[in-house]
Amino acid sequence: MTIQLLVTDRNLNVLGDPITGWTTLECELNFNKPASGAVTMPARQEYMELLQSGNRLVVVRDGSIWCAGPLEEPQDYAWDLGQNAGGTVTARFSDDLARIAGYLTYPDPTLDFESQTTTADARWTRKSVNAELIIRALVNENCGPGALPDRRIEQLVLAPVAGVGSTRAISTRFEPLLDVCRTAAAWSRLGFRTRQVGDEIQFEVYAPADRTGIARFSAGLGNLRSVRFTMSAPTATSELVMGGTDPAQQVPSGEPPNERVYREVTSATVGDWWRVEKLLQESGKDDADGELTQAGTRALGTDAPQASLATVTVDTEDLRAGRDYGLGDKVAVVLPTGLQISDIVQTIRLEATPEEGELVTTVVGTNDKTTLTRTVWTVRDLAYRLGQIEGRG
């Protein structure tokens, strides 16, 4: 294990010397979400001068950048006369995706906030456009090189087009930028991330790979730490999507009258459970490009029968995170009962101390709910088998 910690300014210029006196390091990379990390070190003057607002922390693992991004809490200082006479400081950091998470989607990104149109239906819209290109355009126009100068993130550029994703439509107005990116990504199961490459922060959209043939976890292989699952009924089986505009809203002279548009999207699982209706408000959108239907389908993914699978795996010499699989990739988990479940890598966590070395663990499945149909049925089968085992006991 070789870990190096560097501090840079917002333009990626390295400041001072590498931090060599750190005592503990934790860094958690997340799929389509900002990373989170913390490093603790003695409160030496040279370190305190580096841990300042606006600076970034770069974690280099075995010669490659593992995580790089802003110091969100540069100094958490502790001192006491007895056990901690010299004082310690903990710095908490993220990756550069956290900078993008701080932006909203402007209806017209070419105008500053005070110049945005006052009409309620003004929205940033793309119809029948590739999902990767939608995500790239959202980032580029709101905080990338194509944004207004005051909204640009320093050194942020777009990586080369990957050519992934399917065609879809999206419409947004003053929503959190990453939320809209995740909506666009979910339809094609895309991933996106920031990576420091030289003196650039590259924003990249990618298609996670199916690694189930090589990335397998089980107790027998020595790389499966824990498994936990729960089951519950769907929170909705019929998504009632209401689009269009409010008929009561005043329409300018000469324009067509306001009309509501309604679409119902029903789950195939309604026969297994019971009908549960949920109303979705998608005001300002019609269904000309299937926007309302897509919204209902996306909502069913969240409201479907809730089979929650969470596993924690550990790196071995034969299978290593970042080398053999990455965030969003699909991997295989063989449960103690013998069943195999395939799900995506949601989190990769690095923990390290200079004395004990490093430990890399991976969370496969979600911490809340996994709604892949095959996973739902597999977990039901697992519950049945465990029930049979319990009954025989």
Side-chain angles (χ1 to χ4, degrees):
M1 173 201 74
T2 303
I3 292 179
Q4 185 181 46
L5 302 182
L6 305 173
V7 177
T8 77
D9 62 17
R10 64 183 64 218
N11 291 305
L12 279 59
N13 299 307
V14 177
L15 305 176
D17 296 324
I19 295 174
T20 57
W22 58 275
T23 55
T24 61
L25 171 68
E26 299 177 354
C27 183
E28 190 170 279
L29 307 180
N30 300 303
F31 181 54
N32 288 355
K33 296 179 182 179
S36 63
V39 58
T40 300
M41 65 198 77
R44 300 174 186 169
Q45 181 179 350
E46 61 267 31
Y47 295 161
M48 303 297 280
E49 291 175 353
L50 294 175
L51 302 176
Q52 300 293 326
S53 59
N55 289 345
R56 302 166 64 254
L57 188 75
V58 181
V59 179
V60 182
R61 180 188 182 224
D62 295 334
S64 299
I65 295 178
W66 177 264
C67 181
L71 289 166
E72 295 191 311
E73 191 174 299
Q75 297 185 16
D76 183 353
Y77 174 73
W79 174 91
D80 66 64
L81 187 60
Q83 299 294 321
N84 190 18
T88 59
V89 61
T90 298
R92 295 179 177 84
F93 60 93
S94 184
D95 59 10
D96 291 302
L97 205 59
R99 293 284 307 275
I100 297 175
Y103 285 75
L104 301 180
T105 58
Y106 281 14
D108 186 348
T110 66
L111 302 177
D112 62 29
F113 178 73
E114 294 186 355
S115 302
Q116 297 294 317
T117 179
T118 57
T119 56
D121 60 347
R123 306 177 69 86
W124 187 95
T125 302
R126 294 292 187 274
K127 296 184 177 183
S128 300
V129 177
N130 171 268
E132 177 191 5
L133 300 184
I134 289 175
I135 297 169
R136 289 169 60 90
L138 283 164
V139 171
N140 179 49
E141 295 177 22
N142 284 283
C143 62
L148 295 173
D150 289 346
R151 301 187 75 206
R152 291 175 193 161
I153 295 176
E154 299 86 355
Q155 312 306 119
L156 180 64
V157 300
L158 300 180
V161 175
V164 295
S166 58
T167 299
R168 65 157 301 151
I170 203 161
S171 179
T172 179
R173 173 184 172 86
F174 296 129
E175 295 177 87
L177 177 55
L178 276 196
D179 285 358
V180 185
C181 289
R182 278 190 287 267
T183 297
W187 193 252
S188 302
R189 299 192 182 280
L190 298 180
F192 52 82
R193 59 196 170 199
T194 55
R195 296 199 289 185
Q196 180 175 328
V197 180
D199 60 354
E200 295 179 336
I201 300 169
Q202 294 189 0
F203 177 81
E204 178 183 36
V205 182
Y206 66 100
D210 187 340
R211 307 286 187 190
T212 52
I214 59 173
R216 296 172 58 82
F217 300 92
S218 72
L221 294 172
N223 56 15
L224 182 62
R225 277 193 144 195
S226 66
V227 177
R228 184 171 183 175
F229 72 90
T230 58
M231 291 175 53
S232 61
T235 54
T237 60
S238 295
E239 307 289 349
L240 310 180
V241 190
M242 183 168 63
T245 53
D246 187 350
Q249 183 178 334
Q250 186 173 1
V251 178
S253 177
E255 293 190 9
N258 292 329
E259 290 185 352
R260 285 292 191 192
V261 181
Y262 301 99
R263 292 291 182 272
E264 178 177 348
V265 183
T266 300
S267 170
T269 64
V270 63
D272 299 327
W273 297 89
W274 47 81
R275 183 177 176 90
V276 184
E277 299 177 343
K278 188 173 90 173
L279 180 65
L280 295 180
Q281 295 274 4
E282 295 288 333
S283 296
K285 301 179 183 180
D286 57 33
D287 205 37
D289 292 277
E291 290 181 87
L292 301 185
T293 302
Q294 289 181 15
T297 303
R298 186 172 63 250
L300 281 180
T302 302
D303 297 329
Q306 305 293 288
S308 172
L309 171 71
T311 66
V312 177
T313 70
V314 63
D315 259 11
T316 65
E317 287 301 319
D318 296 327
L319 188 60
R320 290 171 60 87
R323 184 191 70 187
D324 302 306
Y325 63 90
L327 290 171
D329 287 348
K330 184 181 288 187
V331 298
V333 179
V334 180
L335 302 177
T337 61
L339 290 178
Q340 176 176 307
I341 292 178
S342 298
D343 212 331
I344 67 172
V345 176
Q346 290 285 353
T347 299
I348 301 176
R349 181 178 179 86
L350 169 66
E351 300 175 78
T353 65
E355 296 79 16
E356 299 178 5
E358 68 175 32
L359 174 66
V360 177
T361 58
T362 301
V363 176
V364 180
T366 62
N367 289 324
D368 43 22
K369 303 297 177 186
T370 298
T371 54
L372 295 175
T373 302
R374 286 189 299 273
T375 301
V376 170
W377 285 105
T378 302
V379 171
R380 286 180 183 170
D381 190 21
L382 173 61
Y384 172 77
R385 290 196 187 187
L386 291 181
Q388 296 292 93
I389 294 172
E390 185 73 19
R392 289 196 298 268

